[in-house]
Amino acid sequence: MKASLFGASLSALALAFAAPMAQAGSAVDEQLNDYRQAAQSFGKTLKGELQAAMKSGGPTAAVEVCHERAPEIAADLSEETGFTLRRTSLKPRATKPTSWETAVLLDFEQQRAKGTAPADIEWHEVVEADGDKELRYMKAIGTDDVCLSCHGENVDPDLLAKIEKLYPEDQATGFKKGDIRGAFSIHAPLDD
Ligand code: HEC
């Protein structure tokens, strides 16, 4: 009994000392893990719906899925998590990057050029504005075979016409497998 009480107070003491140091790092780490999960579930949900639509109606039907569902999934996840979540690209179809997103995407391209796989490329930064801290995060999205029918070098002319009707300023073609197609971009006030 005595021993366990002693043990308990010792670990309480250890916690009291450890807590301030652990917190500084872990608030960011915990929120980053939530961001990573949100990005992953965005990608997974969209890819699942995209593949199902490609199978049942081909790329022309799947364009509708990307057009309608991508923004909806992002909005649902943003509401669910409280984070601002979207996808963007240096060659956007729908979502132009902000200036800080552009800088990060350019850095991602350099990492890719040095041979890093898109799946391993991510970035984060804590930014302070008016005394409030914001945690910004981006994660590269690679180009797979399944992406090429709508983002590749030889998009079917009918499909391209449909894409250009929906997105008159489309720049998101000409990609090759393994290229960085874009990135998830997430930001929110830092919880501390
Ligand atoms: C059936 C056609 C189609 C396929 C296949 C497709 N996309 Fe897209 N993609 C689109 C459309 C349409 C948009 C615009 C969505 C919107 O309005 O938000 C888009 C937008 C994007 C964006 C957002 C940035 C931007 O350019 O606006 C990324 C990133 C992206 N696609 C990645 C991919 C990846 C990675 C794959 C393969 C896993 C893929 N896409 C497969 C049609 C497609």
Side-chain angles (χ1 to χ4, degrees):
M1 190 66 191
K2 235 182 189 170
S4 72
L5 263 180
F6 183 64
S9 63
L10 245 195
S11 52
L13 200 69
L15 264 182
F17 277 111
M21 265 177 66
Q23 253 173 14
S26 74
V28 171
D29 289 346
E30 271 176 34
Q31 198 163 325
L32 273 179
N33 275 336
D34 292 345
Y35 283 5
R36 290 189 186 103
Q37 264 177 26
Q40 205 178 30
S41 99
F42 188 178
K44 222 170 152 183
T45 309
L46 187 57
K47 214 165 178 178
E49 293 193 22
L50 179 72
Q51 275 164 343
M54 293 278 269
K55 218 171 172 183
S56 63
T60 313
V63 168
E64 296 291 341
V65 168
C66 287
H67 179 57
E68 280 165 25
R69 289 293 292 144
E72 277 173 10
I73 295 167
D76 287 351
L77 273 167
S78 293
E79 197 174 344
E80 207 177 290
T81 57
F83 310 145
T84 305
L85 193 138
R86 63 193 209 136
R87 296 181 307 165
T88 186
S89 170
L90 287 175
K91 288 174 64 184
R93 175 154 293 165
T95 316
K96 292 192 178 113
T98 63
S99 56
W100 66 264
E101 285 170 334
T102 302
V104 174
L105 285 164
L106 287 170
D107 177 70
F108 282 7
E109 288 299 336
Q110 284 186 357
Q111 294 188 50
R112 178 78 199 105
K114 285 181 195 150
T116 312
D120 296 329
I121 301 178
E122 62 164 30
W123 165 94
H124 74 271
E125 187 178 5
V126 177
V127 187
E128 207 162 338
D130 302 326
D132 292 325
K133 284 185 183 163
E134 180 179 272
L135 179 60
R136 294 175 177 176
Y137 170 78
M138 287 179 74
K139 167 100 178 69
I141 303 171
T143 309
D144 284 341
D145 283 329
V146 65
C147 320
L148 297 179
S149 50
C150 296
H151 294 296
E153 295 178 298
N154 300 304
V155 179
D156 172 83
D158 287 346
L159 182 60
L160 195 61
K162 178 160 187 172
I163 291 171
E164 283 173 350
K165 207 170 163 197
L166 290 169
Y167 306 93
E169 295 181 37
D170 181 41
Q171 300 178 46
T173 53
F175 288 89
K176 293 190 277 297
K177 186 177 179 176
D179 284 347
I180 294 176
R181 173 58 270 275
F184 296 107
S185 174
I186 306 181
H187 65 94
L190 178 66
D191 287 333
D192 42 15

